Amino acid sequence: MSVYGLIRVSSLSQQDNTSLGFQTNRIKEYCKLFDLPLTGVIKETGSGGLDLENRKGLTELQTLIEDGSCKTIIVNKVDRLGRSLLQGLIFLKYCEDKGVRVICIENGIDTDNPQSKLITNILFSIAENEKEQIKIRCNSGREKTFSDKKIPYGSISYGYQKTLKGSIVVNKEESEIVQFIFQKHNQLLKRVNLSKTKRTQLLLQTLRDKNYKFHGKDFEWWNVKHILSNPFYCGVMRWKDKTTKHMYDTIVSKRLYNKINSCI
């Protein structure tokens, strides 16, 4: 039975204090008391607020779990698994699904113990409710952002950039490329003998000849298609099933956008 301990401090400034040593000693004492063969102790320094996939200690444990090298995990407290109850329980649930035992010494949780299982099931329900509440709050905030004519999502259209203060502004170099794509496509539309495929191929070749890049790489047909069909460039923003005018500077005219999209 492979047993691993996990110890964590939430910041670099804490990694040399007694917290790590205290957690390590509690784990070793517990293993000695219950005759558990401790294989190793994994140390993690950093905020528990990081996403689970960005936590190095948990990532290491997950690798051990996936290849069958870890069957039991011991922590001093459940909050060592994450900054919030929800984060800790997400990892607990992952371990439960993989058949890995988790022991939280101070909380009296042992997932192999039926009584602990009842407690963790109750906590799972609480965490799920917390997760739903977070989702509701996030959606409410995004609804408000969208109604204020601001971007309610994280991704930003090519041609725009976010400043250090978080404002969305036009990226001069990229916006000129966007304008070129619309104008060149409009010119190619006048060549009625060209098929859509041939038109796209000619446009892509022109972009390569001019050494225009899409985030550092050559443009592909789907990049061009997305740009030409994106109403954000003419002042219209879509989110879910809603549409509104946004507050940001436009890159192409609505007239040109509509003309292009009536033929795509």
Side-chain angles (χ1 to χ4, degrees):
M1 177 175 61
S2 301
V3 180
Y4 284 87
L6 175 67
I7 58 176
R8 180 181 70 82
V9 290
S10 59
S11 67
L12 289 169
S13 62
Q14 295 177 338
Q15 65 177 327
D16 294 325
N17 70 11
T18 57
S19 178
L20 289 176
F22 176 77
Q23 292 175 59
T24 302
N25 288 336
R26 286 296 302 273
I27 290 170
K28 287 181 176 179
E29 288 169 3
Y30 186 93
C31 288
K32 185 176 181 181
L33 181 63
F34 291 95
D35 197 25
L36 295 171
L38 185 64
T39 304
V41 177
I42 294 173
K43 182 176 77 170
E44 183 172 70
T45 302
S47 172
L50 292 173
D51 293 337
L52 293 181
E53 59 267 25
N54 293 323
R55 298 268 308 276
K56 290 184 179 179
L58 290 189
T59 300
E60 184 178 348
L61 274 177
Q62 284 178 322
T63 301
L64 292 168
I65 290 168
E66 292 295 336
D67 65 18
S69 301
C70 176
K71 294 299 181 183
T72 301
I73 297 170
I74 303 177
V75 293
N76 184 46
K77 293 174 66 177
V78 71
D79 66 4
R80 296 301 86 187
L81 296 174
R83 188 174 61 181
S84 68
L85 172 65
L86 177 59
Q87 281 192 341
L89 289 173
I90 286 173
F91 190 71
L92 271 177
K93 185 68 170 67
Y94 164 80
C95 292
E96 184 182 78
D97 292 342
K98 295 291 182 178
V100 174
R101 178 185 183 187
V102 178
I103 298 169
C104 304
I105 300 170
E106 197 162 313
N107 304 99
I109 292 174
D110 180 346
T111 55
D112 269 7
N113 185 310
Q115 287 184 324
S116 290
K117 207 167 186 67
L118 175 62
I119 294 171
T120 54
N121 284 339
I122 292 170
L123 292 175
F124 283 141
S125 297
I126 294 171
E128 280 298 318
N129 181 66
E130 180 185 345
K131 187 177 179 180
E132 286 303 313
Q133 291 302 315
I134 290 171
K135 196 180 293 183
I136 289 169
R137 288 195 295 271
C138 286
N139 283 335
S140 296
R142 289 178 182 141
E143 292 279 359
K144 177 67 168 59
T145 301
F146 185 76
S147 66
D148 289 341
K149 305 185 185 305
K150 298 177 182 178
I151 294 177
Y153 40 80
S155 60
I156 301 171
S157 296
Y158 179 84
Y160 293 87
Q161 66 184 45
K162 186 176 286 188
T163 67
L164 292 175
K165 294 184 178 179
S167 302
I168 307 298
V169 298
V170 170
N171 179 302
K172 186 176 184 300
E173 182 179 337
E174 291 182 357
S175 65
E176 289 175 354
I177 296 173
V178 171
Q179 289 170 346
F180 175 82
I181 289 172
F182 272 90
Q183 291 163 2
K184 185 63 178 179
H185 194 276
N186 187 42
Q187 291 173 6
L188 291 171
L189 283 174
K190 297 173 183 177
R191 296 172 62 177
V192 294
N193 60 315
L194 294 177
S195 65
K196 287 185 179 180
T197 302
K198 187 62 176 176
R199 203 157 45 225
T200 302
Q201 289 173 345
L202 287 172
L203 180 51
L204 287 172
Q205 187 58 54
T206 306
L207 291 169
R208 293 189 182 102
D209 290 343
K210 288 182 169 290
N211 200 31
Y212 286 160
K213 302 291 182 181
F214 184 83
H215 299 310
K217 298 180 180 180
D218 285 340
F219 274 87
E220 301 290 349
W221 68 266
W222 55 85
N223 303 138
V224 172
K225 182 179 179 181
H226 179 72
I227 286 173
L228 291 173
S229 62
N230 188 354
F232 197 89
Y233 297 119
C234 69
V236 177
M237 178 170 58
R238 292 175 184 156
W239 181 58
K240 293 184 176 180
D241 57 347
K242 301 175 182 178
T243 302
T244 188
K245 292 181 179 179
H246 63 66
M247 59 172 288
Y248 311 104
D249 292 335
T250 59
I251 293 178
V252 299
S253 69
K254 188 169 288 188
R255 182 171 177 272
L256 178 58
Y257 174 82
N258 289 336
K259 183 180 180 183
I260 295 293
N261 279 270
S262 66
C263 301
I264 289 179

